[in-house]
Amino acid sequence: MKRYNVWILNAAFLFGGVSLVACSQEPTAAQKEDTKKVAQFLQKAVETDNFGIVTGILATDKSKAEAVGDYGMTISNVHSKTSPVLEDLAKRKYVEVSQTLPEEKKTLVANLEKSDSLSFDKEFIDVQIAAQKEAVALYEEADKELKDAEIQSFIDQVLPVLKEHLKEAQDLKMAMVTPK
């Protein structure tokens, strides 16, 4: 009888182990949703970086105010450093991201390119305040919703920098409207 019980116990462990392995390989609905959110975050974050790089370079070239040009250079440099990290994260997460700016961002860039040198600085700062608010909101939402440890680590590093960029843009706007 003992031998029979040992065989039943072994069979139970074997089939139980097989079913656990099978279950662990099938992603849950929550895991699928998180994967989808990670992909959406990565795409939006890449767009944010590309927009920062393009507009930052534009400000460096076109701005008449030294502080605005310096801010543009900072934005461009920071996003040039985070962009490869995002691309690497996307590859590791098997997420294909587009490097093309969405139409509304292309329109903003085109408008900045067309603006005359007198109005460029104000328009650039207004665009940057909106862009930085959008980026901070994107990262804060991802910080609350995403469970992926690598993405969380990236967010923890980048979010404070984005908040600082927003504050700098707001300070620049105040300095531009405050008479000297």
Side-chain angles (χ1 to χ4, degrees):
M1 189 67 168
K2 283 186 178 181
R3 220 178 201 163
Y4 180 71
N5 287 341
V6 169
W7 280 103
I8 291 175
L9 192 55
N10 282 337
F13 279 126
L14 177 66
F15 290 119
V18 169
S19 66
L20 283 175
V21 169
C23 288
S24 68
Q25 290 177 350
E26 183 65 33
T28 65
Q31 288 171 326
K32 287 179 182 177
E33 184 62 26
D34 195 53
T35 300
K36 181 180 173 184
K37 288 180 180 179
V38 164
Q40 290 169 341
F41 167 74
L42 288 171
Q43 180 59 52
K44 289 286 190 185
V46 166
E47 290 171 6
T48 298
D49 268 10
N50 290 340
F51 185 72
I53 292 167
V54 169
T55 57
I57 291 171
L58 191 57
T60 304
D61 292 342
K62 200 165 181 176
S63 176
K64 295 297 179 198
E66 184 178 347
V68 174
D70 290 347
Y71 176 76
M73 184 178 294
T74 298
I75 295 293
S76 178
N77 288 340
V78 168
H79 288 291
S80 293
K81 290 176 184 169
T82 57
S83 189
V85 176
L86 279 168
E87 290 174 24
D88 185 53
L89 277 171
K91 283 180 187 172
R92 287 201 313 267
K93 302 299 175 188
Y94 303 103
V95 174
E96 192 171 319
V97 291
S98 172
Q99 297 297 323
T100 306
L101 289 175
E103 286 305 314
E104 68 271 7
K105 299 292 185 194
K106 286 180 184 177
T107 302
L108 289 171
V109 170
N111 289 341
L112 283 172
E113 287 173 334
K114 291 177 196 170
S115 68
D116 63 24
S117 60
L118 297 175
S119 63
F120 175 83
D121 291 336
K122 181 191 176 314
E123 290 174 28
F124 171 77
I125 291 301
D126 289 342
V127 164
Q128 282 304 311
I129 289 172
Q132 296 305 324
K133 283 181 180 179
E134 183 181 311
V136 167
L138 171 70
Y139 277 71
E140 285 178 339
E141 182 180 338
D143 191 33
K144 291 176 191 168
E145 292 184 1
L146 301 180
K147 309 293 183 246
D148 186 287
E150 284 183 291
I151 301 295
Q152 282 294 320
S153 176
F154 179 77
I155 291 169
D156 291 344
Q157 293 172 27
V158 175
L159 184 56
V161 176
L162 294 174
K163 288 180 178 179
E164 182 60 29
H165 289 172
L166 174 58
K167 183 182 177 326
E168 289 171 7
Q170 291 168 331
D171 291 348
L172 275 171
K173 182 173 179 124
M174 289 303 294
M176 290 170 69
V177 295
T178 306
K180 294 177 182 170

